[in-house]
Amino acid sequence: MVAFALAALLFLAFCISVRQDRRRFSNAVLLGLTFLTAFSALFLQVAKLPFWAAVTVAVLAFASPAFAILALGVFLVRNGMTMIRKEGFRPANLLSMLAGLAIFALIALLILVAVVGSPVLGGIAGTLTVVAGYISFVFFCFLGYAFLYGRITVRGDVHHVVMLGSGLIGGDRVPPLLASRLRKGQQIYEVQLARSGRPPVLLVSGGKGSDEKVAEARAMADWLIAEGVPAEHIVLEDRSTTTEENMRFSRQIMEAHDPAYRCVVVTNNFHAFRAAMLARKTGVNGQVVGSPTAKYYWPSATIREFVAVFWEHRTVNLAICGLLAVFGALGTLAAVLV
């Protein structure tokens, strides 16, 4: 039981942190550390098993992740090809393919080290593997907690339903991605209206891009009105150009209406956790819910969100990666000198 004490303490810290605020990225890290320490403690118990059982567990413990990594690489490359075919050849659409190719490149490098036996090449490969391991750990922390956060449901009455904008088709038409958000927001609106008889304000948020004919908020409002929502229940925030501005400007409108407001923010499921972090940063009093996204679009979009979150915490992340690289370089130098 002592071996699991650290995992139990980390899980307790996770529960306390989530109770205080579900929108913290530290929640994701605590959840990841809980699973990591619990698995490590479980693996330490293998020594108490009969020899044949211990060998079987050890083989499965290493073979399963290896197979999963290969399968993930294949999946990401195929998804990247689908993204290019359906969404066009743009940098943002290449992320899943690049991630898959990076996995295969690292595997090829490790095989080369085994064949060549160069200590310098081995040190470089080892350093890259450790850095990639850290980034992968943070990614799976993000992915796991984002999945849990996405299970949040709207409880109690809310005064505003904020719907975040995205790019328009042809400069004035709502694309399927944005329509998904609007449907989710409309659904929340109808449930609130049926439950309390008091409709929440639908706050559509999005400014006019350089390639757009109208503000995103205007196109979103028109879409909702065409779906039967009364125009007097819709408020436009049409100045923002980023998600952070969506939050700040929407908060100003809601506070002007009622300083004690409660809201729910609607975006797509891949964007929900990062949007929640920005809501916390900008002081928005509400949680974020996600609307469905096309399955082929989700992997690349999720990787893009992770890159943004990783960069937002770049001071810590780059410091850790740099420290791992320094240790790797020192280890390589020691191997060469020996």
Side-chain angles (χ1 to χ4, degrees):
M1 295 300 293
V2 176
F4 293 94
L6 180 56
L9 287 174
L10 286 168
F11 182 68
L12 177 62
F14 165 75
C15 293
I16 293 172
S17 183
V18 169
R19 183 174 178 81
Q20 291 175 342
D21 196 329
R22 290 179 286 188
R23 303 171 297 178
R24 294 172 171 169
F25 186 69
S26 57
N27 297 340
V29 177
L30 285 170
L31 181 63
L33 289 173
T34 297
F35 276 99
L36 183 63
T37 53
F39 179 79
S40 299
L42 189 63
F43 194 72
L44 290 175
Q45 305 306 307
V46 172
K48 299 178 181 179
L49 297 174
F51 178 76
W52 65 268
V55 171
T56 302
V57 171
V59 169
L60 290 175
F62 288 102
S64 298
F67 176 78
I69 289 170
L70 286 171
L72 179 62
V74 172
F75 169 77
L76 290 173
V77 171
R78 291 185 62 183
N79 177 255
M81 295 171 66
T82 302
M83 282 292 294
I84 292 171
R85 186 174 67 254
K86 293 192 174 185
E87 299 292 331
F89 194 86
R90 296 195 302 272
N93 297 336
L94 301 177
L95 289 176
S96 56
M97 177 177 286
L98 291 175
L101 292 175
I103 290 173
F104 287 120
L106 185 56
I107 292 173
L109 180 59
L110 292 173
I111 293 173
L112 182 62
V113 169
V115 173
V116 175
S118 168
V120 174
L121 193 60
I124 294 173
T127 301
L128 289 175
T129 301
V130 172
V131 172
Y134 168 74
I135 295 173
S136 298
F137 170 74
V138 178
F139 174 71
F140 282 108
C141 288
F142 168 81
L143 190 65
Y145 188 71
F147 174 80
L148 291 179
Y149 188 88
R151 309 278 77 74
I152 288 176
T153 57
V154 180
R155 296 180 180 177
D157 292 339
V158 295
H159 307 107
H160 295 81
V161 179
V162 182
M163 286 165 281
L164 305 184
S166 67
L168 302 175
I169 297 175
D172 59 359
R173 300 195 313 277
V174 170
L177 192 75
L178 182 53
S180 175
R181 302 180 186 184
L182 295 173
R183 288 192 192 94
K184 183 71 173 181
Q186 185 180 6
Q187 180 185 32
I188 296 170
Y189 162 86
E190 291 171 350
V191 169
Q192 293 278 311
L193 179 60
R195 182 168 58 192
S196 65
R198 296 188 302 274
V201 175
L202 292 176
L203 204 167
V204 288
S205 178
K208 180 178 178 294
S210 59
D211 59 343
E212 294 173 334
K213 300 174 184 177
V214 299
E216 293 166 6
R218 180 69 267 167
M220 294 161 73
D222 291 343
W223 190 96
L224 288 167
I225 292 169
E227 291 293 312
V229 178
E232 59 269 23
H233 294 169
I234 303 172
V235 172
L236 279 66
E237 182 289 295
D238 57 5
R239 297 184 296 150
S240 56
T241 58
T242 65
T243 303
E244 186 166 341
E245 288 184 353
N246 286 145
M247 299 293 185
R248 292 189 188 281
F249 297 156
S250 296
R251 189 197 70 192
Q252 293 170 7
I253 293 173
M254 291 185 288
E255 286 180 341
H257 182 263
D258 180 5
Y261 75 91
R262 289 184 66 249
C263 77
V264 61
V265 181
V266 181
T267 186
N268 288 92
N269 50 15
F270 64 83
H271 186 231
F273 182 39
R274 180 170 168 245
M277 293 167 58
L278 288 171
R280 178 174 183 267
K281 177 182 177 181
T282 54
V284 172
N285 182 24
Q287 300 294 334
V288 181
V289 298
S291 64
T293 306
K295 291 181 179 179
Y296 78 87
Y297 193 87
W298 184 86
S300 188
T302 300
I303 293 172
R304 185 172 69 243
E305 292 299 305
F306 168 70
V307 170
V309 170
F310 191 89
W311 187 248
E312 285 169 8
H313 297 82
R314 57 187 173 275
T315 301
V316 173
N317 287 321
L318 294 182
I320 292 175
C321 289
L323 192 61
L324 292 174
V326 169
F327 284 146
L330 291 175
T332 303
L333 180 61
V336 171
L337 292 177
V338 171

